[in-house]
């Protein structure tokens, strides 16, 4: 009988790639999400009935336990970049991760993969980073043999980083950059998924792994790379941290005053705090080498999905070629 894995957040940006890989490896996949009616696309990752979306709210014991029932392994890749209503950092990334590990242990599941983030630090001044560290602590408390993955900035066709800034560059001649000298080590989403799938298959030792791509670039350099790929020009305007904090405070207050009706998905005060710190591997933990994975470069991937932001979209190459033709 095929083994069963439950993936919390399995229809999200990272989760869908993990689900696809595990389905190809022969696992039965249970995709646990808050809105299973919006996750039917995951069924196409495997044979009929192999990949199934189910309801689960990681803030609720009963639904998490139901999603874990009968599973042989569990993956948690639920995470948020900004708080909204009851979905706060602690509720989702600390208490939620701990709940999954606790109930997985109670179910007798002995294999868990937890997707955290580089920068997870219990002593950080960032609520995001502290909650990630609390989540890791809760996971290892209940599942000491868990594999914890800490990726840097993740990029891929569905990312909310390059797609967002490319969209802005298409509409405006100026791109605001907070923390232009902050360093990132972008990692391709399917490389993270490959590491997670190997860990679920028992091909990785328990512990923490830091996952970074082959390139280390500053925020400004990432924006320059993106502009080169989409063949547009824009002024990269450095926003001082004190100005960014004021802007973020205004946006956060707008969300608070409206009771969350206006969600601040633009820039939060916590994100400003995070942008003051580099997001690269420390070298204190194993990385992709431990999985036998060669990380993919941005150069190989970005043109494959950012082409739609070019002035002529899919026809840009044809137009560039036509300029060299003689009449």
């Amino acid at each position: 009988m095929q083994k069963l894995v439950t993936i919390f957040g399995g229809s999200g940006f990272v989760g869908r790639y993990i689900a696809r890989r595990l389905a190809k490896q022969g696992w039965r996949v249970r995709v646990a999400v808050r809105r299973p009616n919006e996750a039917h696309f995951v069924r196409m990752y495997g044979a009929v009935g192999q990949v199934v979306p189910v309801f689960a709210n990681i803030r609720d014991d009963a639904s998490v336990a139901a999603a874990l029932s009968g599973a042989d392994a569990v993956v948690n890749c639920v995470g948020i970049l900004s708080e909204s209503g009851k979905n706060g950092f602690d509720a989702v990334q600390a208490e939620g991760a701990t709940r999954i590990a606790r109930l997985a242990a109670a179910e007798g599941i002995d294999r868990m993969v937890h997707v955290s983030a580089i920068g997870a630090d219990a002593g950080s001044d960032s609520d995001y980073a502290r909650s990630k560290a609390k989540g890791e602590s809760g996971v290892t408390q209940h599942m000491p043999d868990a594999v914890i993955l800490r990726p840097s900035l993740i990029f891929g066709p569905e990312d909310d980083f390059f797609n967002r800034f490319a969209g802005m560059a298409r509409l405006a001649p100026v791109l605001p950059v907070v923390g232009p000298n902050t360093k990132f080590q972008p990692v391709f989403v399917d490389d993270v998924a490959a590491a997670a799938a190997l860990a679920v298959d028992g091909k990785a030792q328990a512990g923490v792994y830091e996952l970074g791509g082959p390139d280390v670039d500053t925020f400004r350099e990432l924006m320059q790379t993106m502009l080169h790929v989409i063949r547009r020009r824009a002024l990269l305007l450095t926003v001082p941290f004190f100005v960014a904090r004021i802007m973020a405070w205004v946006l956060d207050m707008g969300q608070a005053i409206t009771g969350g009706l206006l969600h601040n998905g633009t820039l939060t005060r916590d994100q400003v705090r995070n942008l003051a710190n580099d997001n690269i591997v420390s070298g204190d933990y194993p990385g992709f080498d431990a999985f036998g994975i060669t990380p993919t470069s941005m150069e190989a991937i970005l043109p494959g999905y950012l082409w739609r932001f070019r002035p002529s979209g899919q026809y840009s190459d044809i137009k560039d070629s036509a300029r060299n033709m003689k009449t």
Side-chain angles (χ1 to χ4, degrees), residues 62-206:
S63 67
V64 171
L68 289 169
S69 179
D72 300 287
V74 57
V75 179
N76 175 41
C77 47
V78 178
I80 56 175
L81 293 175
S82 59
E83 298 179 301
S84 178
K86 295 181 180 179
N87 293 315
F89 289 132
D90 280 338
V92 174
Q93 297 179 163
E95 297 166 12
T98 302
R99 177 174 290 107
I100 291 171
R102 171 172 56 81
L103 294 174
E107 180 66 21
I109 299 171
D110 59 4
R111 196 171 297 173
M112 178 172 183
V113 178
H114 175 63
V115 181
S116 183
I118 284 180
D121 181 3
S124 173
D125 61 350
S126 162
D127 295 335
Y128 172 88
R130 285 199 307 274
S131 68
K132 283 291 189 181
K134 290 178 184 177
E136 291 183 3
S137 178
V139 167
T140 54
Q141 176 186 350
H142 297 285
M143 298 285 285
D145 293 330
V147 171
I148 297 175
L149 305 179
R150 290 180 178 175
S152 182
L153 173 71
I154 302 177
F155 69 90
E158 303 87 0
D159 72 47
D160 193 37
F161 183 78
F162 286 113
N163 279 303
R164 172 184 292 191
F165 283 101
M168 292 170 61
R170 183 169 59 181
L171 300 174
V174 177
L175 286 181
V177 180
V178 179
N181 297 318
T182 299
K183 296 179 181 178
F184 294 87
Q185 198 168 349
V187 56
F188 181 41
V189 61
D190 198 42
D191 290 340
V192 177
L198 287 170
V200 170
D201 262 345
K203 298 175 182 177
Q205 295 183 347

Side-chain angles (χ1 to χ4, degrees), residues 266-280:
T266 304
L267 182 68
T268 68
R269 286 171 292 177
D270 200 68
Q271 288 170 349
V272 174
R273 288 190 284 268
N274 271 320
L275 285 169
N277 302 306
D278 290 339
N279 196 265
I280 60 178

Side-chain angles (χ1 to χ4, degrees), residues 4-12 15-16 18-20 28-36 39-43 45 50-56 67:
L4 171 66
V5 59
T6 297
I7 306 177
F8 288 89
S11 66
R16 66 183 66 189
I18 299 175
R20 183 186 292 116
R28 288 187 297 127
V29 182
R30 184 182 289 159
V31 174
V33 293
R34 286 189 300 157
R35 301 182 182 90
H40 287 298
F41 64 89
V42 300
R43 295 180 182 273
Y45 295 163
Q50 184 183 2
V51 183
V52 180
V54 299
F55 169 77

